[in-house]
Amino acid sequence: MSLLTIIQDAYLELGLGDSAPQTVIGNADPQVKQLLALSNAEGQSFCKLQGPWGGWPELNRVYTFNLVPVGPYTGDTTSGSAVITNMSDTTGIVVGYGLAGGNIYQSATVTAVDSIAGTVTMSAVASGTDTGVSINFGQILYDLPSDIRSFV
């Protein structure tokens, strides 16, 4: 079954004319244009459905994001400060990476790295003061596949 046969069947069943259209794409007939628009809307709605009652499983693909972790490192946090000092190392830490560790809020990201001073600046202030805090860093933004429409 093709788009053309679906439109032809609907056109005749609805009594929109005596003969079915021979083309759909580029057809100037307003009723054929409307049937095409309705078909597109239904197709978009159908492809979003999940489970055994709808959707096209062929449209769903698994994509693997290869996570890029860095660390663990150690550093000192100071309550109310966004700067982690006395970093054991800054190799591999990049602005935009996420970080996790004691006294660090979950949504914090790296905003600056100073390898000479041994500091990392975060997007949020530390929630406490401590020395030698174990900190993990990792990439949090990844390029998406070019054909992605939505996440399942």
Side-chain angles (χ1 to χ4, degrees):
M1 181 175 274
S2 69
L3 174 65
L4 178 60
T5 59
I6 292 169
I7 299 296
Q8 287 173 332
D9 291 347
Y11 192 90
L12 293 173
E13 189 172 329
L14 292 170
L16 299 177
D18 294 331
S19 61
Q22 297 305 304
T23 62
V24 175
I25 307 301
N27 194 314
D29 183 338
Q31 293 168 326
V32 174
K33 286 182 178 181
Q34 184 176 18
L35 288 171
L36 175 60
L38 291 169
S39 296
N40 281 330
E42 181 58 29
Q44 290 171 358
S45 177
F46 184 75
C47 77
K48 291 179 186 176
L49 294 176
Q50 300 294 316
W53 300 281
W56 287 302
E58 294 83 5
L59 294 177
N60 295 324
R61 288 194 206 135
V62 173
Y63 184 81
T64 302
F65 291 95
N66 295 310
L67 303 180
V68 181
V70 181
Y73 299 121
T74 59
D76 301 342
T77 60
T78 303
S79 182
S81 172
V83 179
I84 303 170
T85 58
N86 298 321
M87 289 291 300
S88 58
D89 191 5
T90 57
T91 304
I93 302 172
V94 177
V95 170
Y97 273 20
L99 62 159
N103 302 324
I104 298 172
Y105 289 105
Q106 182 178 1
S107 61
T109 59
V110 175
T111 59
V113 179
D114 186 338
S115 57
I116 296 171
T119 62
V120 171
T121 305
M122 309 179 283
S123 60
V125 297
S127 62
T129 300
D130 205 352
T131 58
V133 175
S134 179
I135 306 167
N136 286 294
F137 297 84
Q139 183 174 342
I140 58 173
L141 298 175
Y142 293 87
D143 291 332
L144 298 175
S146 61
D147 61 349
I148 189 169
R149 178 170 179 182
S150 62
F151 289 99
V152 177

